[in-house]
Amino acid sequence: GYFGGRLAQAGHDVRFLARGSNLEAIRAKGLQVKSPLGDFCIYPATVTDTIAELGTVDLVLICLKAWQVADILNDLHQIVHKDTWIIPLQNGVQIPNELHEGMKQGIVLGGLCRIFSMLEAPGVVYHKGIEPTIIYGEWLRPVSIKKEEVLQVFRSANITARFSDDIRVDMWNKFIGICTSGLLAVTRTTYGECRELPQTRILMTELMQEIRDVGMQAGIHLKPDVVERCMEAIDAYPHSATSSLTRDVWEGKPSEIEYQNGSVVRLGLQYGVPTPVNAFIYHCILPMEQKARQK
């Protein structure tokens, strides 16, 4: 909502996909964005709940939860052409492969975003903190066309953006930090509370060290101090900040746990790396996840 809103504010032809009360609110009142960088409203906004109605597009930002991406693959074929860029912004490191395997045409890239935001009310996006950033790069095929064009599109909307030389490293750097969301969910703490208590700070560090070890065994060229740099970033988060996975678990909603700590556990088994902290968090949340999906 935030990134699409900024692109629309800059005058680009942006078409939104939304559902339920969110869809109706955007139709009636436009997309409203509250942000320390300036509030704004996109009205009228081009919005639908049917992918085919979006028409053929040149750039797709996939902003669903990771576990929802598989549900849109068949419909996504209807709006892309051979040169359409598809940039997933989900947490985790698996989605580009899923998209690449499921898409018959279009150019799948790896991608990530950095932002603290939430849906404050239907049609109202609240950007709470962190400089909104999109990082993307080549996945399984090289790209030469549109590299500078897409970068200028983001920058024209005052979105910090970067074409990555190694998007896998960038995604794993984020993955290491974002998987602390499960620890917040289990301990019912904010980032500030979790990092300040010595015992949970140790758990947070051990959790990230496990992911670093898995990534390095998987051939990801992570820097030796990646955990320290992730902790420095977490120390700079607003004290009251939480993540979407944390809030989903607290609220009894389906979450991205399979694509975060669950992925760490499975990759650890694949590469022979012990992941006891991530396994504990994953196994604690799993019963709640199963209940949430039965609703």
Side-chain angles (χ1 to χ4, degrees), residues 3 11 13 28-29 39 47 75 82 98 102 108 114 124 130 139 170 176 218 250 255 259 267 279:
F3 292 116
D13 178 9
K29 301 178 182 179
D39 299 349
V47 62
D75 292 331
K82 65 181 180 64
E98 292 185 11
V108 175
R114 294 195 177 109
V124 182
I130 296 186
W139 194 251
D170 285 310
I176 289 170
W250 289 351
S255 74
Y259 285 84
L267 290 170

Coordinates of all heavy atoms in Angstrom, one line a residue, residues 3 11 13 28-29 39 47 75 82 98 102 108 114 124 130 139 170 176 218 250 255 259 267 279:
F3 N 4.1 1.6 -0.9 CA 5.0 1.8 -2.1 C 4.1 2.1 -3.4 O 4.4 3.0 -4.2 CB 5.8 0.6 -2.4 CG 6.9 0.4 -1.4 CD1 6.9 -0.8 -0.5 CD2 7.9 1.3 -1.2 CE1 7.9 -0.9 0.4 CE2 8.9 1.1 -0.3 CZ 8.9 0.0 0.6
G11 N 2.5 10.1 -10.1 CA 1.9 10.2 -11.4 C 2.0 8.9 -12.3 O 1.6 9.0 -13.4
D13 N 1.1 5.1 -13.5 CA -0.2 4.3 -13.7 C -0.1 3.1 -12.8 O 0.5 2.1 -13.2 CB -0.3 3.9 -15.2 CG -1.6 3.1 -15.4 OD1 -2.4 2.9 -14.5 OD2 -1.7 2.5 -16.5
A28 N -14.2 3.8 -2.0 CA -15.1 4.9 -1.5 C -14.3 6.1 -1.1 O -14.7 7.2 -1.4 CB -15.8 4.4 -0.3
K29 N -13.1 5.9 -0.5 CA -12.4 7.1 0.0 C -10.9 7.2 -0.5 O -10.2 8.1 -0.2 CB -12.3 7.0 1.5 CG -13.7 6.9 2.2 CD -13.5 6.8 3.7 CE -14.9 6.7 4.4 NZ -14.7 6.5 5.9
D39 N 1.7 12.7 5.0 CA 0.4 12.0 4.7 C -0.1 12.3 3.3 O 0.1 13.5 2.8 CB -0.6 12.4 5.7 CG -0.2 12.0 7.2 OD1 0.8 11.3 7.3 OD2 -0.9 12.5 8.1
V47 N -8.5 0.2 -8.5 CA -8.4 -1.0 -7.6 C -9.4 -2.0 -7.9 O -10.5 -1.7 -8.4 CB -8.6 -0.5 -6.1 CG1 -10.0 0.1 -5.9 CG2 -8.3 -1.7 -5.1
D75 N -3.5 -16.9 -12.0 CA -4.1 -15.6 -12.5 C -3.0 -14.6 -12.9 O -3.3 -13.8 -13.8 CB -5.0 -15.0 -11.4 CG -6.2 -15.8 -11.1 OD1 -6.7 -16.5 -12.0 OD2 -6.7 -15.8 -10.0
K82 N 6.3 -11.1 -21.8 CA 7.6 -11.7 -21.7 C 8.6 -10.8 -21.0 O 9.6 -11.3 -20.4 CB 8.1 -12.1 -23.1 CG 8.4 -11.0 -24.0 CD 8.9 -11.6 -25.4 CE 9.2 -10.5 -26.4 NZ 10.4 -9.6 -25.9
E98 N 9.8 -20.1 -6.1 CA 8.4 -20.6 -6.4 C 7.8 -19.8 -7.6 O 7.1 -20.4 -8.4 CB 7.5 -20.3 -5.1 CG 7.9 -21.2 -3.9 CD 7.0 -21.0 -2.8 OE1 5.9 -20.3 -2.9 OE2 7.3 -21.5 -1.7
G102 N 6.7 -21.3 -11.3 CA 5.3 -21.2 -11.6 C 4.9 -20.3 -12.8 O 3.8 -20.4 -13.4
V108 N 11.3 -12.9 -13.4 CA 11.2 -13.0 -12.0 C 12.5 -12.5 -11.4 O 13.6 -13.0 -11.8 CB 10.9 -14.4 -11.5 CG1 10.9 -14.5 -9.9 CG2 9.5 -14.9 -12.0
R114 N 12.2 -2.7 3.0 CA 12.4 -2.4 4.4 C 11.4 -1.3 4.7 O 11.4 -0.2 4.1 CB 13.8 -1.9 4.6 CG 14.8 -3.0 4.4 CD 16.2 -2.6 5.0 NE 17.1 -3.7 4.8 CZ 18.2 -3.7 4.0 NH1 18.4 -2.6 3.2 NH2 19.0 -4.7 3.9
V124 N -6.4 2.3 5.0 CA -5.5 3.3 5.6 C -4.2 2.6 6.0 O -4.2 1.7 6.9 CB -6.2 3.9 6.9 CG1 -5.2 5.0 7.5 CG2 -7.5 4.5 6.6
I130 N 11.4 3.5 9.8 CA 12.4 3.0 8.9 C 12.2 3.7 7.5 O 11.1 3.9 7.0 CB 12.4 1.5 8.7 CG1 12.8 0.8 10.0 CG2 13.4 1.0 7.6 CD1 12.9 -0.7 9.9
W139 N 17.7 -13.0 -10.5 CA 17.5 -14.2 -9.8 C 18.2 -15.4 -10.6 O 19.3 -15.7 -10.4 CB 16.1 -14.5 -9.5 CG 15.9 -15.6 -8.5 CD1 15.4 -16.8 -8.7 CD2 16.2 -15.5 -7.1 NE1 15.4 -17.6 -7.5 CE2 15.9 -16.8 -6.5 CE3 16.8 -14.6 -6.3 CZ2 16.1 -17.1 -5.2 CZ3 17.0 -14.9 -4.9 CH2 16.7 -16.1 -4.4
D170 N 21.5 -10.0 0.0 CA 20.6 -9.0 0.6 C 19.4 -9.6 1.2 O 19.0 -9.2 2.3 CB 20.2 -7.9 -0.4 CG 21.3 -7.0 -0.8 OD1 21.9 -6.4 0.1 OD2 21.6 -6.8 -2.0
I176 N 17.9 -13.0 8.2 CA 18.5 -13.2 9.5 C 17.8 -12.4 10.6 O 17.5 -12.8 11.7 CB 20.0 -12.9 9.4 CG1 20.7 -14.0 8.6 CG2 20.6 -12.8 10.8 CD1 22.2 -13.7 8.3
A218 N 24.9 -23.0 2.8 CA 24.1 -23.1 1.5 C 24.8 -22.3 0.4 O 24.3 -22.2 -0.7 CB 22.7 -22.5 1.8
W250 N -0.1 -13.1 17.5 CA -0.8 -12.6 18.7 C -2.3 -12.5 18.4 O -3.1 -12.7 19.3 CB -0.3 -11.2 19.0 CG 1.1 -11.1 19.6 CD1 1.8 -12.2 20.0 CD2 1.9 -10.0 19.8 NE1 3.1 -11.8 20.5 CE2 3.1 -10.4 20.4 CE3 1.7 -8.6 19.6 CZ2 4.1 -9.5 20.8 CZ3 2.7 -7.7 20.0 CH2 3.9 -8.2 20.5
S255 N 0.1 -16.9 9.7 CA 1.4 -16.1 9.6 C 2.3 -16.7 8.6 O 2.1 -17.7 8.0 CB 2.0 -16.1 11.0 OG 2.6 -17.3 11.3
Y259 N 7.7 -19.8 6.3 CA 8.7 -19.1 5.5 C 9.8 -18.4 6.2 O 10.7 -17.9 5.7 CB 8.0 -18.1 4.5 CG 7.3 -18.8 3.4 CD1 6.0 -19.3 3.6 CD2 7.8 -19.0 2.1 CE1 5.3 -19.9 2.6 CE2 7.2 -19.7 1.1 CZ 5.9 -20.1 1.3 OH 5.2 -20.7 0.3
L267 N 16.0 -26.0 6.2 CA 17.3 -25.8 5.5 C 18.4 -26.3 6.4 O 19.4 -26.8 5.9 CB 17.5 -24.3 5.2 CG 16.6 -23.7 4.0 CD1 16.7 -22.2 4.0 CD2 17.0 -24.4 2.7
A279 N 14.2 -24.0 15.9 CA 13.3 -25.1 16.0 C 12.3 -24.9 17.2 O 11.1 -25.2 17.1 CB 14.1 -26.4 16.2

